[in-house]
Amino acid sequence: MDPIDGLSRKTVALPHLHVWLARLSREPAFLDRVCADPLMFATFFATSIPHIEWPGDTEMQMREALADDVTPGELMELVEHLRSHFNRAVSGEYAQRFHFAIGAFHRITQKQTEFREHFTATPKAIVALESVLISDSAFKKTPIGSNVNALAEVLQLGPLEKELLLFSIAASLSTDFQLLVQALANNKAVAQAAWPAVFGCSPQELKKTLSDDSALVKSGLVKADWRTAVPLVSSFWRDFLIEDVSTPLFTRLLQPLQKATGAASMSRVPAEDRAILDKVLTAPGFSHPNILIHSDKEVERVNFVADLLAAHGLTGYVLRAKHIPDEDLPAAALLAQRLVAQAFADGQRSVLVVDKAHQVLTRTKVSLMRFFLGPAGDEDDESTSLDQLLLEESPVTTLWLTGALAQMSEENVARFIFHCELHPASRAERQAQVEAYIAGLQLSESLRAELTRLNGLSEQQLKSAVALADSLELQGVEEKEAVVRRAVMRARRALRRDEKEAAVSSVTKYSTKYLNLAGAFGVDKIIESLKKRPNTRLLFYGAPGTGKTQLVDHIGAELGKPILAKHASELLDKYIGETEKHIAQMFSDAEADDSILFLDEADSFLRSRQLAERDHEVSKVNELLQRMMRFNGTFIVATNLMNQVDAAVMRRFPFKLQFLPLSHEQRWEMFLNETGLVPEHLAVERIAELKEALTFIQGLTPGDFATVKNMCILLDQSLAPTEWLEQLSNEVELRKAEANRYSMG
């Protein structure tokens, strides 16, 4: 049968295998070994008997050996022995051929002259086959021929490089061939003479093809099996190259970038970074830059890049990576860069987007020199690093995405022309996106405001919640809102994102008029100062509920900046040194995101160092002082225990604002707003009575009003003025009792 016809999946590369085995059989050094070593003889015979013509006497000797058929037990014992020797599984059929060859070795080698003459004389069939393969005309018609030739064109592989690739594919397909290659490689003296003969080239040509400059070595397609060091292509690339498909390599490996719907939260990038990205992607002076887009938090990276490219009319392509094993990603990315560059060689700009860059840019090194040339090639065995090649010889603009920057080497990180860090979207950005997502539902302003306050909110969460509300065909806006709210909250709990939010809205009608601040500077004047000079520090102190946190939120809205809110409990750590690390990270995150940094309940960090009983208590105060002085932004600290604040800490805050309980005028105005009373509709005596009752509630704060209003919302009922007064009085007394208990403790 013509070896080119009727090729199956397992024998798809075997036309070349016929030639390689025939060439090997004619190499004198190899024949010497075959005639002297029964193990090599049996290995060569067991592999090559189906593919090349052996002497007629050999077939006769095999028939004689069949008379002494091996028993099943002996066969299993031989299989295990071969498995142990070769460190890989062997088939029972192979073991039986091996057994026959061992039995016939001495009878065959008694006629060494005839044996050698048979292999030295090149059969006409091999000459014909060799010429066909060299011409490549028939091979191109096979699936693997079409794929390998297309791959060779993209990677610019030479004829010998292409043959080495086919050699590795054949070894990957045929375990029998692997065993022969391994046995041959174990004898370096024979191998150094045999390999050039197998590939029909000189030792110098083979050495050059295996050098660092070789396109095949650089590609990373061929690797050495960790068990035997036999050069193989992976099962992924093997299947990729032998599939009988008419689809071009580009379409099989790449697909257009599309926006994803996942659990990651909405992302943002500082305006200055976005401006640089825009220029890099559009400026003609940049030649195929590599840009790293990273984030430590789970934010939308793919969607950000999709919007970025769409804004400039650029087409992005990504790997069809779902079925690409991690170890094959570097080679896939390298091929993808070349495919994109080839497809858009006419000047049309396109971009390759590689997600999970930390898994692609690994220290993957390929070296085939040692295997084929042995110790003689060691001095030139400088392995090629694929990550370096991907970043330094990219023919196309490549955006690399990762959420695990720490897993990348510093050397690789330094190679990018620009590094862009993504952050969770600001409140204003979330609000714009949320409103766009739920524009089809007539949701109330209060629900939209509630959803925009949720940190870590993702598009997928909203879409799923809205889809649920639509599918239930609910009647009325309130029912839809209830379903959307519950679905979002349940999703956040399942994703463990139901943490305390940075921005807290007030259920009462918020106004700075209800802030009773001691000192000469009012809120409006301070905010105007922050707009001009945002790099400052503010210390808020006063009783709980006096409006410290609400003012931080108000300042953020006025300055148009997100708020990074931290509580002392989030930073404190039982292990020495960890608290200091948390403090440093807090300032780093706020500066990177251009956020207002708000540290609430910071008593333990502001406490006088003279009261410290342990060294680490002093250390955390020192760390806070050092970081806050170097912080390039607005830093706000809130405390309820001003009398214990360290004197040095006090001096570092230009603004120290004391929050007092509501004045008589403020509490009256707030009482009217929350109860809905209209003074013009009240008798003078009634007004005096209510004002007097409010006067006797000492220490009343906006927070007390908010607590009672929350109770009204939960109970879904309104309170009469006298009930309001009663509940406000109860809240103040409870708060005072708690403060006394805390003080005594």
Side-chain angles (χ1 to χ4, degrees):
M1 183 183 71
D2 188 339
I4 294 181
D5 294 334
L7 299 178
S8 68
R9 174 185 176 85
K10 293 301 181 184
T11 60
V12 68
L14 297 188
H16 288 76
L17 184 56
H18 287 71
V19 174
W20 295 325
L21 292 171
R23 288 172 176 173
L24 180 61
S25 69
R26 298 197 301 270
E27 169 55 39
F30 178 70
L31 281 177
D32 289 343
R33 188 67 180 174
V34 167
C35 292
D37 185 350
L39 180 62
M40 181 63 76
F41 176 89
T43 305
F44 182 50
F45 175 83
T47 301
S48 59
I49 188 63
H51 307 297
I52 64 173
E53 182 181 355
W54 278 64
D57 288 346
T58 302
E59 184 177 355
M60 180 184 67
Q61 295 291 346
M62 291 304 104
R63 291 181 181 276
E64 292 178 4
L66 284 173
D68 303 323
D69 197 5
V70 62
T71 66
E74 291 173 329
L75 184 62
M76 288 301 299
E77 185 177 347
L78 180 58
V79 167
E80 289 302 319
H81 175 77
L82 292 174
R83 183 197 305 270
S84 174
H85 178 78
F86 290 114
N87 196 24
R88 62 177 63 245
V90 298
S91 66
E93 180 185 352
Y94 178 89
Q96 193 167 30
R97 293 200 304 265
F98 191 93
H99 170 75
F100 295 158
I102 290 292
F105 171 71
H106 295 292
R107 282 174 277 181
I108 292 294
T109 53
Q110 287 175 357
K111 300 180 180 180
Q112 285 197 24
T113 302
E114 298 177 18
F115 187 80
R116 288 172 180 271
E117 288 178 352
H118 172 82
F119 282 115
T120 304
T122 306
K124 293 182 179 180
I126 296 299
V127 173
L129 179 60
E130 206 165 4
S131 64
V132 168
L133 294 177
I134 292 173
S135 70
D136 232 12
S137 58
F139 186 63
K140 286 180 179 178
K141 298 178 182 179
T142 65
I144 188 172
S146 175
N147 287 328
V148 168
N149 282 318
L151 184 69
E153 181 182 354
V154 174
L155 297 178
Q156 298 182 337
L157 301 181
L160 183 52
E161 289 174 311
K162 189 168 68 171
E163 191 163 357
L164 282 165
L165 175 60
L166 290 168
F167 178 90
S168 301
I169 295 174
S172 177
L173 287 166
S174 171
T175 303
D176 295 1
F177 187 49
Q178 289 180 34
L179 298 179
L180 176 61
V181 171
Q182 180 180 341
L184 182 60
N186 290 337
N187 192 308
K188 299 299 182 183
V190 176
Q192 288 183 31
W195 292 129
V198 167
F199 297 114
C201 65
S202 68
Q204 292 74 24
E205 289 176 308
L206 183 58
K207 184 176 181 179
K208 182 179 180 181
T209 304
L210 299 174
S211 70
D212 261 358
D213 293 331
S214 164
L216 176 63
V217 174
K218 286 182 177 181
S219 72
L221 291 171
V222 180
K223 299 178 182 178
D225 185 277
W226 67 270
R227 297 167 297 180
T228 62
V230 175
L232 303 173
V233 296
S234 68
S235 59
F236 168 76
W237 288 116
R238 179 197 66 201
D239 296 342
F240 187 83
L241 292 172
I242 68 176
E243 287 180 359
D244 185 8
V245 295
S246 58
T247 309
L249 296 181
F250 186 100
T251 308
R252 292 169 58 198
L253 190 65
L254 292 159
Q255 64 184 14
L257 174 67
Q258 296 180 343
K259 295 189 71 172
T261 54
S265 58
M266 303 170 191
S267 58
R268 64 178 295 272
V269 65
E272 296 83 356
D273 288 1
R274 176 57 189 261
I276 293 176
L277 286 176
D278 292 339
K279 292 178 180 177
V280 171
L281 290 173
T282 56
F286 288 104
S287 177
H288 315 312
N290 286 284
I291 301 172
L292 181 64
I293 298 177
H294 64 96
S295 60
D296 291 333
K297 300 178 176 63
E298 284 299 319
V299 299
E300 293 173 342
R301 292 182 291 272
V302 173
N303 289 353
F304 169 80
V305 171
D307 291 336
L308 174 68
L309 297 180
H312 298 290
L314 296 174
T315 303
Y317 292 93
V318 294
L319 289 169
R320 296 183 182 271
K322 288 185 178 180
H323 305 297
I324 303 179
D326 290 348
E327 61 269 19
D328 292 313
L329 283 173
L334 184 76
L335 179 57
Q337 286 181 333
R338 274 70 184 163
L339 284 169
V340 172
Q342 182 191 63
F344 298 93
D346 58 357
Q348 179 183 352
R349 295 201 65 178
S350 57
V351 177
L352 176 64
V353 181
V354 183
D355 199 7
K356 298 181 180 179
H358 57 282
Q359 293 182 357
V360 179
L361 296 173
T362 58
R363 302 264 69 183
T364 303
K365 294 185 177 182
V366 176
S367 178
L368 305 178
M369 184 85 74
R370 180 186 295 271
F371 176 84
F372 284 105
L373 299 183
D378 284 355
E379 58 186 24
D380 298 319
D381 187 12
E382 296 179 1
S383 300
T384 298
S385 175
L386 282 186
D387 51 354
Q388 181 177 356
L389 184 64
L390 284 164
L391 294 177
E392 294 186 353
E393 298 186 24
S394 171
V396 66
T397 299
T398 308
L399 301 183
W400 300 84
L401 282 55
T402 181
L405 185 61
Q407 297 182 27
M408 297 178 62
S409 69
E410 292 183 355
E411 182 180 358
N412 279 337
V413 173
R415 287 192 174 109
F416 292 97
I417 192 172
F418 188 64
H419 307 75
C420 178
E421 183 176 5
L422 298 182
H423 306 280
S426 67
R427 187 179 179 186
E429 290 164 331
R430 289 204 308 269
Q431 183 173 4
Q433 293 184 51
V434 167
E435 291 181 350
Y437 296 151
I438 61 178
L441 290 178
Q442 297 179 349
L443 300 180
S444 66
E445 184 69 29
S446 61
L447 179 57
R448 288 201 297 271
E450 182 181 345
L451 293 175
T452 59
R453 291 194 302 273
L454 301 179
N455 289 333
L457 185 66
S458 70
E459 177 181 354
Q460 184 60 54
Q461 289 174 308
L462 284 170
K463 284 187 174 181
S464 297
V466 172
L468 176 63
D470 286 340
S471 63
L472 296 179
E473 299 181 355
L474 301 172
Q475 300 297 321
V477 174
E478 291 185 359
E479 285 188 272
K480 288 186 177 180
E481 289 190 354
V483 170
V484 170
R485 181 185 291 107
R486 178 166 290 272
V488 168
M489 295 305 178
R490 288 296 178 265
R492 286 171 54 74
R493 178 174 294 183
L495 292 168
R496 298 183 179 181
R497 294 179 186 170
D498 53 345
E499 73 283 355
K500 188 172 183 179
E501 302 300 342
V504 181
S505 67
S506 176
V507 295
T508 59
K509 297 177 182 179
Y510 181 78
S511 173
T512 56
K513 293 188 301 180
Y514 300 145
L515 295 177
N516 188 10
L517 303 180
F521 304 108
V523 173
D524 295 337
K525 191 170 185 178
I526 291 174
I527 290 177
E528 287 302 315
S529 173
L530 291 175
K531 289 180 179 179
K532 297 176 183 177
R533 289 173 290 275
N535 302 337
T536 191
R537 297 167 296 282
L538 299 91
L539 175 61
F540 293 174
Y541 66 98
T546 49
K548 299 186 291 294
T549 303
Q550 285 295 319
L551 179 56
V552 173
D553 194 28
H554 179 70
I555 291 174
E558 288 292 317
L559 270 59
K561 291 188 175 184
I563 298 168
L564 177 60
K566 293 288 184 180
H567 291 261
S569 58
E570 299 177 55
L571 306 178
L572 293 173
D573 198 295
K574 64 180 179 180
Y575 296 106
I576 295 177
E578 291 301 311
T579 298
E580 289 78 358
K581 291 181 182 178
H582 296 327
I583 293 173
Q585 188 63 49
M586 171 184 71
F587 281 99
S588 176
D589 290 345
E591 188 160 341
D593 197 26
D594 193 23
S595 299
I596 295 173
L597 179 56
F598 175 45
L599 180 57
D600 198 7
E601 300 175 356
D603 309 326
S604 57
F605 294 100
L606 307 178
R607 194 166 182 261
S608 174
R609 284 167 286 185
Q610 295 179 354
L611 301 176
E613 298 179 358
R614 299 175 180 85
D615 291 341
H616 66 83
E617 295 178 358
V618 176
S619 176
K620 64 186 179 184
V621 176
N622 290 337
E623 182 69 20
L624 183 70
L625 284 173
Q626 294 173 18
R627 294 289 176 176
M628 64 186 274
M629 294 307 297
R630 295 198 296 265
F631 179 54
N632 187 31
T634 303
F635 180 43
I636 304 175
V637 170
T639 179
N640 298 330
L641 303 174
M642 188 63 172
N643 59 330
Q644 294 186 8
V645 175
D646 190 279
V649 175
M650 290 274 288
R651 292 195 298 270
R652 301 303 197 278
F653 288 92
F655 292 106
K656 293 174 276 291
L657 304 182
Q658 182 182 10
F659 288 68
L660 302 172
L662 294 167
S663 66
H664 294 299
E665 293 76 12
Q666 288 173 325
R667 66 180 65 183
W668 173 244
E669 184 174 348
M670 197 166 188
F671 183 78
L672 292 176
N673 282 333
E674 300 308 323
T675 59
L677 292 176
V678 180
E680 290 76 10
H681 298 167
L682 298 174
V684 176
E685 295 80 5
R686 182 55 173 163
I687 293 176
E689 179 184 341
L690 293 174
K691 283 187 175 182
E692 182 180 5
L694 284 170
T695 302
F696 282 108
I697 306 177
Q698 297 296 324
L700 192 60
T701 67
D704 298 321
F705 278 95
T707 302
V708 178
K709 185 64 175 287
N710 263 322
M711 182 183 67
C712 295
I713 294 174
L714 292 173
L715 294 175
D716 195 21
Q717 69 179 50
S718 301
L719 296 180
T722 53
E723 293 174 319
W724 262 94
L725 292 170
E726 181 180 355
Q727 292 301 323
L728 288 172
S729 179
N730 290 340
E731 289 302 322
V732 172
E733 293 303 319
L734 287 172
R735 182 161 45 80
K736 289 180 179 179
E738 179 65 17
N740 290 334
R741 185 182 67 83
Y742 179 79
S743 177
M744 292 174 64

